[in-house]
Amino acid sequence: MTMPGLLSLPEEVLTAIISCISDNCLANVSQVCRKLNRICSSPLEMRQRCLSFRWWSDHHEFEKKKRLSRIADVNWRALLLYRIKVRLATSRLLDEIISNPTNHINNFNKIVDFGYDAKDCLAMHAEVADDEVDDPLARRYQATAAIRYIHRRRALAIWKRVRDYNDLPLEVALAAFDLFVANKSAPDVEDIIRDIDGLAMSFLATAPEFKTLCTEEKAIKLVHWMWDQGFKGTPAERYRALKNVFVGLTIRTIRTAIPLTLVTIFCAIARRVGLIAHPCGYPGHVLAIVEDPEDGEYQYYDLFPGPGSHPRTDRARLIEGFADDSVASSLVAPATVSNMVIRAAQNIISTLQLPPPDREEQNNGYPEVCEHSTLYAALTAIVLLKQTGPISMHVIEHMTQQIPADFPMDVRFLEEELLPRIVDYRGRTLLENVCGALRAEDTMPRTVWRRDCPENHRVLHRVGSVIKHRRYDYMGAIFGWTNECRPMEGEEWIERMNVETLPRGRNQPFYHVLVEDGTVRYVAEENIQPIRPKNVSALIGLAGKYFKRFDAAEGRFVSNVEAEFPDD
């Protein structure tokens, strides 16, 4: 159809056609003529395009704008242009992260400063198909890393809000832990809030007489309904399962949990159905407090025992044995949100201090939760919400080990939140050295290993080769090599690993290998056995850190570390 013929179509048809045009093409189409410019720029069209974005940063107050009755009350065009600008900048920064091994910290932080406005774009890159781009593994990996960083920064904002203003509900403060492990099965904060809203509506639908009941009858009815929905105490052999600390995971997966999580969900639903509810951080336990509006008295409820027990607990029994009335009263008073978050963090640390076999037994059959991310969440909560006393050296040492290993882009957290609170000279020096080293490593040009150098001629295997370890039989992919044993830990590692006892000793090439269990190993050439794998799914999730894609025809990964190994 010619342009005059197109313009002769009814305006509603043109509007429908234009709605199918991408945001990037919209500007070009709008410049064709006045009629198309008017349709393309209409507030209704701009609003519809804004609604196509799933995530918005809080400062936009987007949900409030959606509910306004007059479309003209919002500058939808400005909102759309801003989001297009963010999308272009995010894609450009992500491309730079993928193609350049240096300056990752600055580029990740530029993305995260866009907040949730960058998340739609990152989600698109994180779900790219293998045949859409040349670097699907690297693109998915780095986009996912950026999304997780955005989640962590939001968790920081939530806990800082709790610390500074104490005006967020407990379910939101605890949902910040879910943000540290958020993936396809772990929901975002808005998802958790919607889930709780849905639970409250479901409960009211089963209790049409609810408003006519007294406070105690309402509370007991809600407790029994929660038990019927599976929200009850976890079995003793699963008490320390990491899942039990996460509100979102508990709602969406296995609903048995520890008292703190059950009480959080109870209080959240209770408030939505008209009850005044608070958590009570009783020693060794967490109870729900329901306030009777008639007399202002507190009623105490224990959700953990489950069906077959009476949920209400007597206050006199709770304070029995405490000689000091002021101490007793504080123990049965409503707990602060920050204290409950710290308590959840301490529960996490207690679990992670169990021996590995015990931790594995506790978590067996439960949703898998990343221990590194969970520990990081717990330490972060303690750093941000601990109001009195110095940050312990134990916490500082953990943070300075974990961030460089697992979350190097979070060096900004160390610099902005942890460093200003350290007064101990040893701790401050350690922290400054770690931050300086991370920044320096991120900007330092990478060492180039060329195969045309005589000393490198004997290196047999190339970056991207899939291998089996001759002795331990694990599968991995080579992402780097040295022409002799040169571990980062130096002679200490050589001695600890008994390298000199190998038949070829230290004077042989060694290879950096990404292993199917997610670890990284430094392997002697004599233990490397190249293979043509039938299935590399165990490696795919993490391979994007070093590789662009997997070449099935060649049976090897395509390198994304050309700056260091240009000949591979």
Side-chain angles (χ1 to χ4, degrees), residues 391-531:
I391 304 298
S392 73
M393 192 65 194
H394 185 64
V395 171
I396 296 171
E397 288 174 346
H398 267 299
M399 294 294 265
T400 53
Q401 291 168 9
Q402 194 173 18
I403 285 183
D406 301 313
F407 312 100
M409 67 281 285
D410 289 30
V411 63
R412 194 163 84 174
F413 168 71
L414 294 179
E415 295 166 339
E416 295 177 356
E417 301 296 337
L418 189 54
L419 190 57
R421 300 186 60 188
I422 306 302
V423 294
D424 175 75
Y425 174 78
R426 187 165 67 96
R428 191 172 184 85
T429 301
L430 172 63
L431 203 53
E432 288 174 342
N433 289 340
V434 168
C435 292
L438 280 171
R439 292 286 187 183
E441 183 182 357
D442 187 55
T443 57
M444 189 181 301
R446 298 298 184 253
T447 301
V448 179
W449 296 85
R450 304 301 304 243
R451 287 188 173 269
D452 55 6
C453 296
E455 60 268 28
N456 295 335
H457 287 171
R458 60 180 181 156
V459 178
L460 292 180
H461 310 298
R462 294 181 175 272
V463 169
S465 299
V466 182
I467 62 99
K468 278 278 189 183
H469 193 283
R470 292 184 185 275
R471 182 175 178 185
Y472 299 117
D473 202 41
Y474 59 71
M475 182 174 70
I478 295 172
F479 65 88
W481 47 261
T482 55
N483 53 30
E484 61 182 3
C485 188
R486 299 181 183 181
M488 293 181 63
E489 299 87 345
E491 290 295 322
E492 179 186 344
W493 186 89
I494 293 174
E495 292 177 12
R496 188 173 71 250
M497 302 304 293
N498 298 314
V499 171
E500 298 291 12
T501 65
L502 293 171
R504 292 171 60 186
R506 70 165 72 189
N507 190 27
Q508 62 175 308
F510 272 68
Y511 298 84
H512 297 288
V513 177
L514 175 68
V515 180
E516 55 192 329
D517 64 1
T519 60
V520 168
R521 312 282 176 89
Y522 192 48
V523 184
E525 187 172 85
E526 65 186 62
N527 286 323
I528 295 288
Q529 178 183 348
I531 60 172

Side-chain angles (χ1 to χ4, degrees), residues 171 174-175 178 185-188 191-192 195-196 243 245-253 261 265:
E171 65 269 21
L174 286 188
D178 287 82
S185 62
D188 205 334
D191 299 318
I192 295 171
D195 288 346
I196 294 173
K243 184 281 308 176
V245 179
F246 295 94
V247 172
L249 273 177
T250 294
I251 291 174
R252 293 195 165 197
T253 59
T261 306
I265 297 170

Side-chain angles (χ1 to χ4, degrees), residues 177-178 181 185 230-235 238-258 261-262 265 348 351 362-363 365-370 374:
F177 284 106
D178 287 82
V181 300
S185 62
F231 295 107
K232 50 194 174 186
T234 189
R238 295 288 186 271
Y239 191 89
R240 287 294 179 190
L242 285 175
K243 184 281 308 176
N244 292 333
V245 179
F246 295 94
V247 172
L249 273 177
T250 294
I251 291 174
R252 293 195 165 197
T253 59
I254 299 171
R255 288 182 164 181
T256 55
I258 57 177
T261 306
L262 295 174
I265 297 170
I348 289 170
T351 294
Q362 290 278 333
N363 289 289
Y366 273 45
E368 185 177 353
V369 179
C370 174
T374 307

Side-chain angles (χ1 to χ4, degrees), residues 289-442:
I289 297 174
V290 176
E291 187 176 340
D292 191 331
E294 297 293 329
D295 55 19
E297 292 293 319
Y298 287 164
Q299 301 171 5
Y300 297 85
Y301 295 90
D302 188 354
L303 282 79
F304 191 73
S309 62
H310 194 280
R312 185 164 179 184
T313 301
D314 184 59
R315 182 182 186 277
R317 187 178 67 80
L318 292 173
I319 63 175
E320 185 179 357
F322 291 97
D324 190 325
D325 289 343
S326 62
V327 172
S329 297
S330 67
L331 294 178
V332 293
T336 64
V337 172
S338 59
N339 282 345
M340 289 292 95
V341 175
I342 290 176
R343 194 156 175 167
Q346 291 168 339
N347 285 337
I348 289 170
I349 291 172
S350 296
T351 294
L352 295 176
Q353 287 175 339
L354 294 173
D358 292 346
R359 292 206 307 272
E360 185 176 342
E361 184 177 347
Q362 290 278 333
N363 289 289
N364 185 32
Y366 273 45
E368 185 177 353
V369 179
C370 174
E371 292 187 355
H372 295 292
S373 298
T374 307
L375 175 60
Y376 185 30
L379 295 174
T380 301
I382 290 171
V383 167
L384 288 174
L385 296 174
K386 182 178 170 59
Q387 298 286 357
T388 59
I391 304 298
S392 73
M393 192 65 194
H394 185 64
V395 171
I396 296 171
E397 288 174 346
H398 267 299
M399 294 294 265
T400 53
Q401 291 168 9
Q402 194 173 18
I403 285 183
D406 301 313
F407 312 100
M409 67 281 285
D410 289 30
V411 63
R412 194 163 84 174
F413 168 71
L414 294 179
E415 295 166 339
E416 295 177 356
E417 301 296 337
L418 189 54
L419 190 57
R421 300 186 60 188
I422 306 302
V423 294
D424 175 75
Y425 174 78
R426 187 165 67 96
R428 191 172 184 85
T429 301
L430 172 63
L431 203 53
E432 288 174 342
N433 289 340
V434 168
C435 292
L438 280 171
R439 292 286 187 183
E441 183 182 357
D442 187 55

